[in-house]
Amino acid sequence: MIRRGLRAAARLGHHGALPGGPYILPRFSLASAFGSSMDSLVSRFCQEKTDLKNYALPNASWCPDMLNLYHEFLEKTKADGWIRLPSFKSNRNHIQGLKFPLVLTVSSDKSDCHIFTRCIKTEGQGYEYVIFFHPSKKKSVCLFQPGPYLEGPRGFAHGGSLAAMIDETFSKTAYLAGDGLFTLNLNTRFKNLIRMGSLAVLNVGVEKVEDQKLYISCVAQSTDQQTVYAKASGTFLQLQLEEDSSQY
Amino acid sequence: MLRSCTAALRTLRALRGRREGASPAARDPVLARRWFSTEKVIPKDHALPNPSWSKDLRLLFDQFMKKCEDGSWERLPSYKNSKLVKEQLSQAQLFTRGYEDGLGFEYVIFYNDDEKRTVCLFQGGPYLQGVPGFLHGGAIATMIDAAVGMCAAIPGGIVMTANLNINFKRPIPLCSVVVINSQLDKIEGRKLFLSCTVRSADEKILYSEATGLFIKLDPEKSLI
């Protein structure tokens, strides 16, 4: 059953362009089609009607570059097929109606868990970011502004924080584009340091899907594209989530 | 990734210097005052047990502290507040020390000078989650960068991460203890090649493997 689902996911990965016109999110439906279509994953992920706090919204700490690009992409969500991804406290909040396979449940799953990139709550201090995803192109753009908690060399972001942001963007893209769940490989080549409080734009794209693995790459650069901060590639294991019948 | 490690080097020299005589106490007030000449406050060393440390972590810590007794291994202290430090410490430690006890990165690094390798004992807390119940790949990458970077900085001086290639074999359960073994494989001019493994406390499970390339920087040149 899982194998069929994975093959279905792989086929969907090669699916051509979605119907033209404004991209409207399908209504969330429990009786979703066999296997998780990208539409279903996206709608469960985004949870249009929710009280959960969405961390991927502008706040006072966002620099002008970040605000400008954010609004540019927000415009593109109206007609060009881009989707602004919300960002909740835990990955559990992004899989409404689904659950992780039994083999993955661990006893140490506490309620005060936070996703790594959203654990520093004070605005502007840690990871400030928002991801825009394009389903048919299987691409993402992440606007990332590192704060003082992420400091490495004085005045610049720690390399590990960029690797983490790349992994997180990879992870969301791989999941929505093709049920990618676990990072198998992350290869990061650092070129230049990111000044704290400035914007880094991460351009991510799925390269191919093969043998239950999803291959993905990223170029992180400055707003004006003059400086490349890092290039990275990743491999993700495809693992389809199960329907959570216990909720209904 | 830049590593200014002058203070780390001083740590090493100071610790070695005490091999012959005095107590191996990690918190030596006299030593601290010599480093931090501006303040009388003794900064907190985070690379020491606190209530959030699990039994596994404490056990491993004690085992390695025993190994330090004959001088072959050194425990590296870890400070959080850069304002108290006259020189730049390995900056990775500021990022990884920004959490309350037990919520984020709980770790201690031991260094073996003869074998040119480090062992990092790491316990990742609930604020480092990825897939629920497991550590985020990015948090693991951060810790690997810090541990391997320290292994490069001690022989190499001021170094910067050029490349980090991590293979994740199995997901690491949240709040479990892992051992990150890093070693210096070779040096070619200004390039330092390192590798590491991430295993469970009992060494039975291999969670990840990584290789890293670090570049020695010219301290005269500016960063950008």
Side-chain angles (χ1 to χ4, degrees), chain B:
Chain B
M1 178 59 235
L2 178 69
R3 298 271 186 283
S4 282
C5 64
T6 40
L9 285 171
R10 228 187 285 127
T11 309
L12 221 47
R13 273 186 232 120
L15 288 169
R16 274 201 211 105
R18 283 204 315 249
R19 231 183 274 177
E20 278 79 49
S23 65
R27 276 184 278 215
D28 182 343
V30 174
L31 199 62
R33 270 198 285 278
R34 238 187 275 140
W35 288 342
F36 312 111
S37 55
T38 51
E39 315 248 332
K40 286 207 177 129
V41 175
I42 298 159
K44 181 178 173 190
D45 180 353
H46 288 263
L48 289 169
N50 66 57
S52 74
W53 283 30
S54 66
K55 212 170 54 157
D56 277 348
L57 187 54
R58 277 171 207 271
L59 221 70
L60 278 168
F61 176 80
D62 291 338
Q63 276 173 28
F64 274 90
M65 286 306 283
K66 273 213 157 53
K67 294 195 205 212
C68 291
E69 281 166 13
D70 67 359
S72 56
W73 287 86
E74 312 279 6
R75 185 193 68 90
L76 300 179
S78 177
Y79 304 100
K80 180 165 106 168
N81 192 339
S82 64
K83 292 197 188 78
L84 291 176
V85 181
K86 224 184 150 201
E87 303 269 355
Q88 272 182 319
L89 267 179
S90 169
Q91 295 286 343
Q93 304 195 31
L94 297 182
F95 168 34
T96 47
R97 290 296 180 199
Y99 300 79
E100 280 171 42
D101 281 357
L103 293 177
F105 299 89
E106 289 297 331
Y107 67 98
V108 53
I109 303 179
F110 292 88
Y111 179 68
N112 185 317
D113 192 38
D114 294 330
E115 296 173 31
K116 295 283 179 283
R117 63 189 194 95
T118 58
V119 167
C120 171
L121 310 176
F122 168 45
Q123 176 185 296
Y127 277 27
L128 307 185
Q129 183 166 252
V131 169
F134 297 98
L135 281 186
H136 192 284
I140 300 168
T142 298
M143 202 63 250
I144 289 177
D145 186 37
V148 177
M150 189 56 80
C151 195
I154 294 175
I158 302 174
V159 295
M160 184 157 165
T161 321
N163 176 261
L164 202 56
N165 192 356
I166 307 171
N167 285 313
F168 299 91
K169 308 269 183 194
R170 293 181 68 89
I172 301 177
L174 218 50
C175 305
S176 67
V177 178
V178 296
V179 181
I180 307 175
N181 276 287
S182 322
Q183 63 184 47
L184 180 64
D185 293 326
K186 68 175 173 183
I187 300 183
E188 268 175 20
R190 286 168 52 217
K191 294 187 188 174
L192 293 102
F193 296 85
L194 301 102
S195 59
C196 85
T197 58
V198 181
R199 291 178 193 277
S200 55
D202 61 8
E203 306 229 321
K204 292 200 175 130
I205 306 172
L206 174 65
Y207 288 115
S208 330
E209 286 176 322
T211 55
L213 169 63
F214 285 72
I215 311 288
K216 272 172 84 152
L217 293 184
D218 184 349
E220 300 299 310
K221 291 207 184 117
S222 70
L223 269 174
I224 47 153

Side-chain angles (χ1 to χ4, degrees), chain A:
Chain A
M1 160 97 181
I2 289 179
R3 208 173 288 142
R4 265 189 292 157
L6 285 172
R7 276 210 287 274
R11 274 201 301 279
L12 284 164
H14 297 292
H15 183 63
L18 288 167
Y23 186 85
I24 300 160
L25 282 174
R27 248 197 224 198
F28 172 65
S29 161
L30 279 177
S32 51
F34 165 77
S36 50
S37 71
M38 210 188 295
D39 287 351
S40 166
L41 281 184
V42 170
S43 68
R44 290 177 200 263
F45 186 95
C46 292
Q47 285 204 66
E48 296 281 290
K49 292 190 179 69
T50 178
D51 293 330
L52 291 166
K53 182 176 158 85
N54 178 4
Y55 290 92
L57 290 171
N59 62 57
S61 73
W62 285 26
C63 66
D65 278 349
M66 188 156 176
L67 284 167
N68 288 339
L69 268 177
Y70 173 79
H71 287 294
E72 224 179 271
F73 274 94
L74 210 55
E75 278 305 303
K76 296 190 198 197
T77 62
K78 293 175 186 166
D80 293 349
W82 287 89
I83 299 173
R84 183 193 56 175
L85 298 184
S87 176
F88 305 128
K89 185 183 116 170
S90 164
N91 276 329
R92 269 203 194 290
N93 301 133
H94 284 290
I95 58 162
Q96 189 186 29
L98 297 173
K99 62 177 181 183
F100 295 96
L102 212 61
V103 70
L104 290 182
T105 45
V106 273
S107 52
S108 63
D109 186 18
K110 302 177 182 140
S111 60
D112 63 345
C113 294
H114 291 67
I115 189 176
F116 176 47
T117 45
R118 290 296 181 199
C119 56
I120 298 165
K121 298 217 184 92
T122 320
E123 283 178 3
Q125 293 297 300
Y127 295 90
E128 288 295 338
Y129 69 96
V130 56
I131 302 173
F132 289 88
F133 172 64
H134 196 293
S136 58
K137 293 186 191 174
K138 289 199 287 297
K139 282 186 177 196
S140 284
V141 169
C142 173
L143 308 179
F144 169 45
Q145 179 185 292
Y149 271 46
L150 306 186
E151 190 176 49
R154 195 147 291 168
F156 295 91
H158 183 285
S161 70
L162 179 57
M165 193 67 254
I166 291 173
D167 181 54
E168 177 56 19
T169 311
F170 274 177
S171 155
K172 293 296 182 285
T173 312
Y175 172 70
L176 292 172
D179 292 295
L181 201 63
F182 285 106
T183 321
L184 293 175
N185 171 268
L186 182 67
N187 191 354
T188 318
R189 297 173 290 289
F190 299 92
K191 310 279 181 196
N192 284 288
L193 296 170
I194 306 172
R195 201 171 274 288
M196 239 151 54
S198 73
L199 181 71
V201 182
L202 278 57
N203 282 290
V204 164
V206 175
E207 302 285 319
K208 68 176 178 187
V209 180
E210 204 176 74
D211 295 331
Q212 293 178 30
K213 289 187 211 158
L214 194 141
Y215 297 84
I216 196 166
S217 66
C218 167
V219 177
Q221 49 196 352
S222 57
T223 318
D224 60 10
Q225 298 178 5
Q226 293 299 305
T227 312
V228 175
Y229 295 123
K231 291 186 181 179
S233 55
T235 313
F236 279 73
L237 177 70
Q238 285 185 311
L239 194 61
Q240 202 172 87
L241 301 185
E242 299 162 352
E243 289 266 353
D244 190 358
S245 47
S246 66
Q247 284 183 29
Y248 311 100

